[in-house]
Amino acid sequence: MKIAILPGDGIGPEIINQAIKVLKALGEPLEMESAPVGGAAYALSGHPLPDATLKLAKQADAVLFGAVGDFKYDNLERALRPEQAILGLRKHLQLFANFRPAILYPELAGASSLKPEIVSGLDILIIRELTGDIYFGQPRGVRECPDGPFKGQREGFDTMRYAEGEIRRIAHVAFQAAQKRDKRLTSVDKANVLETFQFWREIVSDVHRDYPDVALDHMYVDNAAMQLVRAPKKFDVVVTGNMFGDILSDAAAMLTGSIGMLPSASLDAGNKGLYEPSHGSAPDIAGKGIANPLATILSAAMMLRFSLNRAEQAQRIENAVKKVLAQGLRTPDIFEPGTTRVGTEQMGDAVVAALV
Ligand code: IPM
Ligand code: MG
């Protein structure tokens, strides 16, 4: 089994190193090959997603991705910015189904910005469509405004669109995920305003007929944002489009106290996937040895489960993470008085030591 390792920028290399350490400690025959991506790749070769990196990602059975982005690259034209690397990988590998679980570990209940009784036991799964919507819709650009009161001025524009098959396939993924959990699915849209999402609602409702055992409800995205902070435990699985999913998954992540804890998986139709922490490259703390590697380590666990068919090894990692939390070890982002502050390396070592 071959894993493409793409560390990227900022804290990416530090946290990826911890995940590699944990993977090696499993004793499985895993071949790992690294390649530059994001700003690091741009600095080396002038492009954030070099052909060789894309080729490696396509060949591999799974991709383990750190994070991309750095202030240094803020002034580059959009096509060369580090973010284009992850968008390009999603598009080229057709990773349309993004799983973003938000789980609150009991030990971290105090780290949430919400009251413990609102978040304790939280376990929700956001499924975000990842290769369509306004993120990729054409046409887009800056042009001369063709009409209305601002006619003749420059205007920026993007296109929100979803094809029927695109909605159907993510809906199937979401219903099937719900079947494996509490059998409740909330589809989040903006059907009251947007044609695209009125259509989305129609198609999701149609796919529902194949899954009578799952309870489906529809919710407008503004209400969903409110419910996420009011009563997040009412959700089980949430399915939504690319743009809304980007926003809601950050909000859901923060409910758990630290975005530094949350893994994610981006899957294609055949369960090949790219695995990355839900957080970004945090260039402000890069190189300080204080970044939380647990989201990346847990992403490696998701990789073992979804793409490499090694559920028992995934479970070993997840148990080890629970154990180090129970031991009271905390990186600064989840530190609370009474716990033991550790750095990135120490946290990685502790997970290795806790593997049984
Ligand atoms: C995410 C990120 C990306 C996105 C950026 C880095 C392009 O915010 O994975 O949620 O907007 O999808
Ligand atoms: Mg985001």
Side-chain angles (χ1 to χ4, degrees), residues 12-30:
E14 302 162 54
I15 54 178
I16 279 279
N17 280 341
Q18 306 315 308
I20 293 176
K21 203 151 78 181
V22 173
L23 284 169
K24 285 192 172 152
L26 295 176
E28 286 277 340
L30 301 171

Side-chain angles (χ1 to χ4, degrees), residues 25-150:
L26 295 176
E28 286 277 340
L30 301 171
E31 188 193 329
M32 300 186 223
E33 188 176 333
S34 298
V37 75
Y42 172 79
L44 283 172
S45 67
H47 197 278
L49 182 57
D51 288 342
T53 300
L54 182 57
K55 195 170 153 216
L56 173 69
K58 280 186 172 162
Q59 276 172 359
D61 298 300
V63 180
L64 188 62
F65 187 94
V68 290
D70 198 325
F71 317 122
K72 287 189 281 217
Y73 306 109
D74 277 356
N75 294 322
L76 284 178
E77 60 172 286
R78 201 169 47 83
L80 295 177
R81 289 178 59 115
E83 292 82 357
Q84 292 304 311
I86 185 66
L87 295 173
L89 283 164
R90 290 171 183 172
K91 192 78 190 164
H92 289 296
L93 302 181
Q94 298 181 52
L95 306 171
F96 70 90
N98 183 214
F99 284 61
R100 298 195 167 184
I103 294 170
L104 185 87
Y105 290 84
E107 293 87 358
L108 302 182
S112 175
S113 50
L114 296 191
K115 295 191 195 94
E117 63 268 28
I118 296 196
V119 289
S120 69
L122 182 80
D123 178 359
I124 65 183
L125 172 62
I126 297 194
I127 297 184
R128 166 188 177 194
E129 199 292 327
L130 204 56
T131 51
D133 202 349
I134 198 165
Y135 266 64
F136 293 97
Q138 295 290 345
R140 61 193 289 159
V142 176
R143 64 182 173 193
E144 185 180 309
C145 178
D147 50 23
F150 300 100

Side-chain angles (χ1 to χ4, degrees), residues 274-335:
L274 179 149
Y275 299 81
E276 58 175 327
S278 286
H279 59 72
S281 54
D284 52 321
I285 60 164
K288 296 191 176 153
I290 57 172
N292 186 345
L294 293 178
T296 312
I297 291 171
L298 290 166
S299 299
M302 277 183 112
M303 173 178 79
L304 288 159
R305 178 174 288 116
F306 285 118
S307 290
L308 304 179
N309 204 13
R310 288 286 184 285
E312 68 298 340
Q313 298 292 15
Q315 194 65 56
R316 280 180 77 198
I317 296 179
E318 288 159 358
N319 290 346
V321 168
K322 284 188 192 134
K323 206 148 119 195
V324 300
L325 292 175
Q327 288 163 356
L329 304 185
R330 303 283 188 273
T331 42
D333 57 311
I334 49 175
F335 176 78

